[in-house]
Amino acid sequence: MGLLQTALSAIYPPRCLGCGEMVDSDFGLCGACWGQTAFVGGTVCDTCSTPLPGSAVDEIVHCDTCLKSPKPWTHARAALIYTGMGRKMVLRLKHGDRQEIAKPAAGWMRQGVLEIAKHDALLVPVPLHWMRLAKRRYNQSALIAMHLADKTGLAVCPDVLERPRRTPSLDGKTKEERADILDGAIRVADRRRHRIAGRSVVLVDDVLTTGATLAACAEACRAAGAADVCVAVLARVVKDA
């Protein structure tokens, strides 16, 4: 460690992302907060990353929901379950201006992305409407995608997708209502169509709930000529989690 880094560490010691207690290294969690963070592991649905019972090894499995209503993407991976400390970190990143959480988030997502991404895949974050972006000052999904590019070696293009129409919250809406709200709300920017034509795309977002927004993004990419689309998220909402 250099002299400057030593001095900075003394003035600004590493703090836990969850509770703020001192930890051994930057962007880490203390033991207590790590214990409250539910990482996705074991058998999961290949297309939505929902944890499933059993211990399938080298076997592709799907949940009942995805079997009944196939997603417009091929594979999906999540790093965390949206509960406990995982939920708190997503909300802090999304609404609390805790942009430093994006870097460890990408680290936790890295292996899942490498499992599903082709070598020439393009990382594409889910977009925000410009009014929401102006208010928040950053797109948390784009921050994660840029750190993922550093950790995986994959290319990233933060502005492939755009959101020309501001949409209300999808919370509490039916499947049909969500589809109506998102109809035409997300599109591929004309100046970026060449980036995804004939290419694999990995959509990056902070949390997967119903998948309605990611489905709209995937459909826009496919309509613009993407060869295939996969999904990578920091957290996955799971019923009764």
Side-chain angles (χ1 to χ4, degrees), residues 99 102-103 106-107 109 123-125 137-159 202 204:
Q99 298 180 46
K103 183 174 181 178
M109 294 167 64
L123 298 169
V124 173
R137 297 180 294 106
Y138 64 93
N139 178 353
Q140 71 280 359
S141 300
L143 290 179
I144 295 172
M146 288 186 283
H147 283 296
L148 269 173
D150 290 337
K151 294 180 180 298
T152 63
L154 296 173
V156 60
C157 189
D159 58 351
V202 178
V204 178

Side-chain angles (χ1 to χ4, degrees), residues 71-166:
K71 302 291 190 292
W73 60 76
T74 309
H75 311 285
R77 293 293 184 272
L80 311 174
I81 301 297
Y82 189 70
T83 188
M85 188 53 62
R87 180 177 182 274
K88 290 179 182 178
M89 286 191 289
V90 168
L91 293 177
R92 289 169 182 172
L93 170 61
K94 193 168 188 173
H95 302 298
D97 200 21
R98 294 288 302 277
Q99 298 180 46
E100 75 276 11
I101 293 174
K103 183 174 181 178
W108 298 327
M109 294 167 64
R110 175 182 177 274
Q111 186 56 45
V113 170
L114 292 177
E115 287 177 6
I116 61 176
K118 295 183 179 179
H119 73 281
D120 64 340
L122 182 69
L123 298 169
V124 173
V126 170
L128 292 178
H129 184 267
W130 70 267
M131 290 179 66
R132 187 162 293 168
L133 181 60
K135 181 178 180 181
R136 192 175 297 170
R137 297 180 294 106
Y138 64 93
N139 178 353
Q140 71 280 359
S141 300
L143 290 179
I144 295 172
M146 288 186 283
H147 283 296
L148 269 173
D150 290 337
K151 294 180 180 298
T152 63
L154 296 173
V156 60
C157 189
D159 58 351
V160 164
L161 294 172
E162 57 187 15
R163 209 161 187 155
R165 178 163 56 82
R166 190 172 186 181

Side-chain angles (χ1 to χ4, degrees), residues 1 16 25 27 35-36 81 88 91 164 179 203 220 225 233-234:
M1 182 182 292
C16 171
S25 60
F27 311 113
Q36 297 174 41
I81 301 297
K88 290 179 182 178
L91 293 177
L203 294 171
V233 297
L234 172 57

Side-chain angles (χ1 to χ4, degrees), residues 8-81:
L8 288 175
S9 295
I11 300 171
Y12 305 106
R15 299 282 181 174
C16 171
L17 292 169
C19 66
E21 290 295 319
M22 286 191 290
V23 291
D24 292 335
S25 60
D26 290 325
F27 311 113
L29 293 169
C30 68
C33 289
W34 184 272
Q36 297 174 41
T37 306
F39 288 88
V40 174
T43 303
V44 298
C45 173
D46 189 51
T47 47
C48 75
S49 205
T50 294
L52 297 173
S55 55
V57 178
D58 297 328
E59 181 181 347
I60 295 176
V61 293
H62 301 90
C63 67
D64 291 342
T65 300
C66 288
L67 288 173
K68 294 175 183 176
S69 301
K71 302 291 190 292
W73 60 76
T74 309
H75 311 285
R77 293 293 184 272
L80 311 174
I81 301 297

Side-chain angles (χ1 to χ4, degrees), residues 186-207:
I186 297 174
R187 67 190 181 195
V188 173
D190 288 338
R191 68 186 184 283
R192 293 289 183 251
R193 284 179 174 268
H194 68 284
R195 295 295 304 273
I196 66 171
R199 191 172 187 177
S200 296
V201 168
V202 178
L203 294 171
V204 178
D205 205 4
D206 55 351
V207 61

